[in-house]
């Protein structure tokens, strides 16, 4: 597939997807459309100000198919993060629309997590959403697909005014807005960290690849949460308040009965599992190989680079 014939369909564009919109506009080679449950006027100023083509849809196969054919879309990228069986239902509709479409025969499903080659069941909340949909992808050959993973979003080390990503202080170990950290386990386990903008740039580079692999990995920086906190402290020249959650506490919450009152604790524990295992780190050998194969001209951003790029000042912590 040549670049000049490609049209990209983005679905459920939220915080991470906005970076891809920005980079597609800056790149200029690929026209794109955003498929959303909301119209452009209801979806917000971001889309209005950039003149982005937003097509409303109920996410049914017929609705999505109509948009794919109207726009001559060739690649479908999903950012939909629906839970459990809803994820499977929605993505099955997306996939079926691609299968029935005239030209949309490439599909990037919504995962953007860690090392699923070696840890396919982590995070554990993927077991009722991503895992069953992966099996559906594997059972068909009409649409080429890849599962794109990047480890932890480095943007969560930024204050809210410097990123599209929302603050998630209970989920992500570092809260730069309140200058504190909750370290899970020892905090020494190696992890992958990648900036949202690098994810967007890598996805665009992947579009020109003649053939995809079933799983695609990128990493901006391999490090531990302890070392990333230390880097934040050194950059801003200020100690960060730290608390800790032990592996035993996480294991306890992982084994709670799946009742309504435990859902939040179970979800959090499933995310924390990635922090205390190797599943939060993209497989180094494969990631480096794919960097040379797909992303040779992409200079990945480190935490220090991201802080500087977004206008953070050394020695001055932001409150």
């Amino acid at each position: 597939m040549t670049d000049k014939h490609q049209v990209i369909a983005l679905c459920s564009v939220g915080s991470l997807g906005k970076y891809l919109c920005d980079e597609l506009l800056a790149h200029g080679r690929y026209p794109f459309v955003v498929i959303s449950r909301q119209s452009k006027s209801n979806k917000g100023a971001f889309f209005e100000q950039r003149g982005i083509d937003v097509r409303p849809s109920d996410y049914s196969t017929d609705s999505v198919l109509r948009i794919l054919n109207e726009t001559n879309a060739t690649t479908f990228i999903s950012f939909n993060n629906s839970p459990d069986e809803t994820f499977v239902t929605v993505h099955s509709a997306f996939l079926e629309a691609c299968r029935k479409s005239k030209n949309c025969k490439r599909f990037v499903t919504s995962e953007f997590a860690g090392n699923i080659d070696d840890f396919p069941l982590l995070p554990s909340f993927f077991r009722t959403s991503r895992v069953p949909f992966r099996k559906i992808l594997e059972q068909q050959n009409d649409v080429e697909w890849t599962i794109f993973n990047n480890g932890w979003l480095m943007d969560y080390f930024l204050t809210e005014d410097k990123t599209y990503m929302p603050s998630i202080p209970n989920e992500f170990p570092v809260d730069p807005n309140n200058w504190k950290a909750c370290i899970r386990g020892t905090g020494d386990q190696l992890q992958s960290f990648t900036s949202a903008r690098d994810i967007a740039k890598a996805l665009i580079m992947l579009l020109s690849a003649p053939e995809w692999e079933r799983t695609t990995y990128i990493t901006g920086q391999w490090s531990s949460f302890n070392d990333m906190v230390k880097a934040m402290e050194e950059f801003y020249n200020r100690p960060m308040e730290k608390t800790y959650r032990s592996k035993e506490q996480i294991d306890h919450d992982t084994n709670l009965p799946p009742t309504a009152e435990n859902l939040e604790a179970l979800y959090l524990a499933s995310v924390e599992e990635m922090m205390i295992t190797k599943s939060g780190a993209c497989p180094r050998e494969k990631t480096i190989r794919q960097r040379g194969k797909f992303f040779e001209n992409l200079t990945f951003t480190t935490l220090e680079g991201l802080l500087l790029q977004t206008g953070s000042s050394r020695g001055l912590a932001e409150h």
Side-chain angles (χ1 to χ4, degrees):
M1 183 184 296
T2 58
D3 286 352
K4 66 181 180 180
H5 293 140
Q6 291 207 55
V7 178
I8 316 305
L10 312 181
C11 193
S12 302
V13 171
S15 304
L16 179 59
K18 287 179 179 178
Y19 285 97
L20 184 53
C21 289
D22 276 350
E23 291 302 317
L24 282 167
L25 290 169
H27 191 270
R29 181 178 297 178
Y30 303 111
F32 69 98
V33 60
V34 169
I35 302 173
S36 173
R37 290 194 187 274
Q38 300 171 305
S39 65
K40 183 190 293 187
S41 59
N42 290 330
K43 196 155 177 59
F46 176 91
F47 301 90
E48 288 274 7
Q49 293 168 355
R50 289 162 176 77
I52 294 172
D53 185 0
V54 177
R55 304 291 181 99
S57 170
D58 62 6
Y59 289 0
S60 66
T61 294
D62 288 344
S63 174
V64 174
L65 174 61
R66 182 177 66 254
I67 296 170
L68 296 181
N69 285 339
E70 287 174 352
T71 59
N72 293 312
T74 55
T75 298
F76 189 100
I77 301 177
S78 173
F79 293 96
N80 188 281
N81 195 32
S82 296
D84 305 319
E85 292 82 3
T86 304
F87 180 94
V88 181
T89 300
V90 168
H91 281 81
S92 294
F94 296 162
L95 179 62
E96 185 63 16
C98 291
R99 291 178 64 186
K100 290 182 176 180
S101 71
K102 293 181 296 184
N103 299 310
C104 197
K105 304 304 176 185
R106 278 185 149 183
F107 188 100
V108 180
T109 187
S110 179
E111 295 225 9
F112 306 104
N115 181 0
I116 63 168
D117 283 10
D118 299 317
F119 302 89
L121 300 181
L122 293 180
S124 57
F125 72 89
F126 275 14
R127 296 180 188 183
T128 54
S129 57
R130 275 69 170 178
V131 172
F133 184 66
R134 290 174 201 158
K135 295 177 181 178
I136 293 172
L137 285 171
E138 292 167 356
Q139 291 167 0
Q140 61 82 44
N141 297 307
D142 298 325
V143 178
E144 185 182 20
W145 54 274
T146 191
I147 300 171
F148 189 97
N149 288 300
N150 46 261
W152 302 97
L153 280 173
M154 198 180 286
D155 290 56
Y156 289 124
F157 290 102
L158 300 174
T159 52
E160 288 180 287
D161 60 315
K162 299 185 182 303
T163 177
Y164 294 140
M165 304 310 299
S167 176
I168 50 171
N170 293 329
E171 183 175 332
F172 193 72
V174 178
D175 178 6
N177 298 289
N178 296 297
W179 203 247
K180 60 184 180 179
C182 179
I183 302 299
R184 272 62 166 200
T186 65
D188 292 326
Q189 184 64 59
L190 193 69
Q191 310 285 329
S192 286
F193 300 92
T194 311
S195 77
R197 200 165 297 282
D198 281 353
I199 293 169
K201 291 178 179 178
L203 284 168
I204 293 173
M205 296 180 78
L206 196 62
L207 295 173
S208 63
E211 185 176 338
W212 289 352
E213 299 182 27
R214 291 289 180 90
T215 52
T216 304
Y217 293 98
I218 63 170
T219 293
Q221 182 174 352
W222 277 281
S223 187
S224 68
F225 276 107
N226 279 341
D227 285 343
M228 294 296 264
V229 169
K230 182 179 179 182
M232 290 280 283
E233 292 176 323
E234 290 177 350
F235 184 91
Y236 288 113
N237 192 28
R238 180 187 177 195
M240 184 177 288
E241 176 189 347
K242 303 176 194 68
T243 56
Y244 297 85
R245 261 176 63 82
S246 68
K247 182 180 183 299
E248 290 72 24
Q249 289 174 304
I250 295 168
D251 289 342
H252 172 270
D253 286 358
T254 300
N255 294 308
L256 289 171
T259 58
E261 61 267 24
N262 289 335
L263 289 182
E264 184 175 351
L266 283 166
Y267 169 76
L268 181 59
S270 75
V271 176
E272 291 173 322
E273 283 180 290
M274 294 183 65
M275 303 174 195
I276 62 174
T277 66
K278 295 179 180 179
S279 66
C282 297
R284 185 181 290 267
E285 183 177 345
K286 184 172 185 176
T287 304
I288 295 297
R289 177 182 62 77
Q290 291 184 330
R291 182 179 292 186
K293 180 179 180 180
F294 297 121
F295 315 114
E296 186 175 9
N297 296 320
L298 178 54
T299 301
F300 285 92
T301 306
T302 63
L303 175 59
E304 181 181 22
L306 183 63
L307 292 171
L308 292 172
Q309 286 174 16
T310 54
S312 300
S313 300
R314 292 183 185 275
L316 181 63
E318 302 182 26
H319 302 272

